[in-house]
Amino acid sequence: FWPAWHGITFFTLCLLYFVLYCGPNVATFVLPVISYPCEVRSTFHGLSAAAAKIGAMAGALLFPMINDVFGTAAVMATQAAICAAGA
C-alpha cells in the first residue's frame, strides 16, 4: 500500500475487529462442538431456538401494551431489567 493509505487501512481493520468481536466469538461455536456429543447439542439448539421465538413473541406482544400504559421509559426499564436478568 501507499504510505497515505496506512491510516485508512488501520481504521478499516479496527472497525472490522470491532464488528467481528462485538457478537458471538469463535469459542461460542467451537466450545460446544468439543464439549458435548451430537445428541445433546442438537437438543439444546432446538430448545434455544424455541426460547428465542417465545421471547420474540412476548416482546412483540407485551412492549406495545407497556408503552401504551406506562410510556417509553417503562419499556426501556423493562428491557434493561430483562437484559440484566439474562446476563
Side-chain angles (χ1 to χ4, degrees):
F1 289 104
W2 296 300
W5 285 34
H6 287 285
I8 295 170
T9 305
F10 178 75
F11 174 76
T12 304
L13 285 174
C14 288
L15 184 65
L16 175 70
Y17 279 113
F18 176 77
V19 170
L20 288 177
Y21 290 118
C22 276
N25 227 338
V26 174
T28 304
F29 302 109
V30 175
L31 202 56
V33 173
I34 295 170
S35 302
Y36 301 107
C38 264
E39 298 84 17
V40 174
R41 282 196 318 259
S42 60
T43 299
F44 283 105
H45 280 303
L47 289 173
S48 175
K53 286 170 181 52
I54 290 170
M57 183 180 68
L61 293 174
L62 293 177
F63 285 157
M65 288 189 281
I66 294 171
N67 190 30
D68 291 342
V69 175
F70 299 108
T72 306
V75 172
M76 296 300 167
T78 304
Q79 290 177 341
I82 291 171
C83 287

